[in-house]
Amino acid sequence: MSPAPGEPLRVGNASGFYGDRFDALCETLTGGELDVLTGDYLAELTMLILARDRLKDPSAGYARTFLRQLEECLGLAHERGVRIVTNAGGLNPAGLADAVRRLADRLGIPVRVAHVEGDDLHGTHPGALAAHAYLGGFGIAACLRAGADVVVTGRVTDAALVTGPAAAHFGWAPTDHDRLAGAVVAGHVLECGAQATGGNYAFFRGADVRRPGFPLAEIHADGSSVITKHPGTGGLVDVGTVTAQLLYETAGARYAGPDATARLDTVRLSQEGPDRVRVEGVRGEAPPPALKVGVNRLGGFRNEVVFVLTGLDIEAKAALVQAQMEGALGKIAEARWTLARTDRPDADTEETASALLRLVVRDPDQAAVGRALSGAAVELALASYPGFHVLAPPGKGSPYGVFEAASVPQDAVAHLAVLPDGSRVPVDPPHDTRPLDAVPEPALPQPLPPGPVRRAPLGLVAGARSGDKGGDANVGVWVRSEQAWRWLVHELTTDRFRQLIPESRDLPVTRHVLPNLRAVNFAVEGVLGAGVASQHRFDPQAKALGEWLRARHLDIPEALL
């Protein structure tokens, strides 16, 4: 269906990652009115997975799950006039577009399919498994204007799945920066699916988030929007859930994209009604002159073993096994030990009396991390600390990936819209661009007057959400009242963050202040090593880094507690 003149464009999202809820596509189509249904299947790790698929089968490289989902509800989308826009094409958007056509022919459904290409820069990065520029939404817009019912893309920005349909419907030009920035913000809220409707939400207690519905945005011609969900679906949409998602995997006040740079410090959120949050006031700027490029390479091979240490003398047991393994690890490029003190004194179960000693090894040679680690660890079974056992024997070693963020001039990429009739239409790069400069820290509110304080977890007054961008992590922290904001912005400085998160002490940490959201956003460089695929730390995507921060104790004013 298409909205009547003057009505908003209703854009839903039914996938936040490759592996999201399978039934969501059909659920979102049947749950209520909709004009466009999007699906986000790509992440940095996904591109590496699809690249390995393509090595085995050159015709692969796209999210096959999408095809199976579409088989169940393509007819329903056609009957309801809902257009589908997805980046499930991954490394092979043309291949997925052809597969959708074959599926439609087999089902007897007259569907016009188009796709977007030009993001693949694999040939310009020797040795890379995948290299892709993050394209904007105007290729998608060209496909929709040509009458496409299904548009398949490769690596576009997550928000482009929304800016494209909005630009096509409202006739926006590349210079409509404010309107495009509003759609960028709406797209960023939608992109992770149920994270905007109560999933992974810091204040989940008291809400029914067992099965959150998927979000949708009612986008208006001026770029403003209302974030909501279909009636009767689970979860919730409030200012907090939308704030959390706005902070996810962003950093400063300027949120750059290939269509426009959105000024996150201008976003205004208000609760319009139950499960309805209005997003307005977004100012936009010309996009930066360069596109981000994600490069995935094979880093080598890794293996691991977890030794279980039970009862007394935990640290002495750990020292013994490390000394015994030292000879076997001498020729391996990297070995890292981590002792997690999950044990407790006088425990009433064996599991809670045990600590975990984790050894991770990496080397360019698979045999080195396989044979060397397996043999040395297994041979200790009867010759090491009392109570020796491991969670599982080491395997042969598995490949790990390395993610690098590069850039390329906007005009160096052959952005193409391949229309339903097969026409190949070039998409011009933006004529207006602006370098991405940092925004100075805004004036801060007056701090709270002195008063009694209590030592308590930060999470009693603040929410947080964290995530990864390559080897960096961000942690967004927000509060729900002006009083709490006056305390948080003065208390949670960069120095305080480093104290609370010790592994950040020797890393570059930048704080960004967003008063409209009552939020501070910390960017921590290098904490994730070479990205999620390298499995650098216990939580390789920093998904729970914000929850760890919320669990740390500070002196909090009694008035806030």
Side-chain angles (χ1 to χ4, degrees), residues 5 13 60 182 195 288 299 310 314 354-355 386 397 430 521 531:
N13 177 42
Q195 275 197 172
T310 305
I314 295 295
S354 299
N521 209 348

Side-chain angles (χ1 to χ4, degrees), residues 27-192:
E27 289 175 4
T28 309
L29 282 169
T30 58
E33 294 185 343
L34 207 59
D35 302 308
V36 178
L37 183 55
T38 65
D40 180 10
Y41 290 77
L42 301 185
E44 293 167 0
L45 180 60
T46 312
M47 299 300 282
L48 180 63
I49 293 169
L50 294 176
R52 293 180 62 190
D53 288 347
R54 189 174 60 176
L55 286 176
K56 301 172 187 173
D57 178 2
S59 68
Y62 55 80
R64 297 182 184 274
T65 304
F66 171 72
L67 269 183
R68 299 201 304 272
Q69 291 173 297
L70 202 60
E71 185 166 8
E72 295 188 1
C73 47
L74 181 60
L76 183 62
H78 177 68
E79 290 169 11
R80 295 189 166 220
V82 178
R83 292 174 161 187
I84 295 175
V85 179
T86 179
N87 61 15
L91 278 62
N92 188 5
L96 179 55
D98 286 340
V100 172
R101 292 186 189 97
R102 291 193 298 270
L103 173 64
D105 289 343
R106 178 164 59 83
L107 298 176
I109 302 170
V111 172
R112 294 162 294 185
V113 183
H115 74 274
V116 177
E117 59 185 43
D119 60 300
D120 192 344
L121 302 180
H122 179 249
T124 64
H125 290 77
L129 291 176
H132 291 261
Y134 288 67
L135 302 179
F138 279 93
I140 295 169
C143 294
L144 292 171
R145 287 171 178 154
D149 302 303
V150 178
V151 181
V152 172
T153 78
R155 180 73 276 187
V156 296
T157 63
D158 302 332
L161 301 176
V162 174
T163 61
H169 178 73
F170 294 115
W172 294 341
T175 52
D176 288 324
H177 298 139
D178 287 347
R179 296 179 176 91
L180 288 166
V184 166
V185 169
H188 183 64
V189 174
L190 296 189
E191 58 147 309
C192 285

Side-chain angles (χ1 to χ4, degrees), residues 423-461:
S423 303
R424 300 172 65 82
V425 178
V427 179
D428 292 333
H431 295 294
D432 297 330
T433 61
R434 174 176 178 164
L436 197 65
D437 299 322
V439 175
E441 184 168 287
L444 303 183
Q446 288 295 315
L448 286 182
V453 298
R454 188 200 319 164
R455 195 77 175 167
L458 173 63
L460 294 185
V461 296

Side-chain angles (χ1 to χ4, degrees), residues 15 36 57 89 114 119 131 139 165 177 239 288 305 338 343 349 404 480:
S15 177
V36 178
D57 178 2
D119 60 300
H177 298 139
V239 169
V305 59
T338 306
D343 57 304
T349 68
E404 300 170 4
R480 297 182 286 184

Side-chain angles (χ1 to χ4, degrees), residues 353-421:
S354 299
L356 301 177
L357 178 64
R358 183 173 182 236
L359 168 62
V360 177
V361 297
R362 302 174 192 274
D363 197 272
D365 181 9
Q366 185 176 21
V369 300
R371 288 195 304 267
L373 183 65
S374 298
V378 171
E379 288 170 4
L380 294 179
L382 303 179
S384 189
Y385 59 85
F388 179 98
H389 65 288
V390 297
L391 290 185
K396 297 179 179 179
S398 58
Y400 70 90
V402 171
F403 178 85
E404 300 170 4
S407 63
V408 64
Q410 290 238 26
D411 58 7
V413 174
H415 190 174
L416 285 171
V418 184
L419 306 184
D421 64 1

Side-chain angles (χ1 to χ4, degrees), residues 210-228:
R210 291 173 295 176
R211 188 179 173 86
F214 276 69
L216 63 97
E218 299 170 356
I219 302 175
H220 294 266
D222 64 355
S224 65
S225 62
V226 172
I227 307 299
T228 184

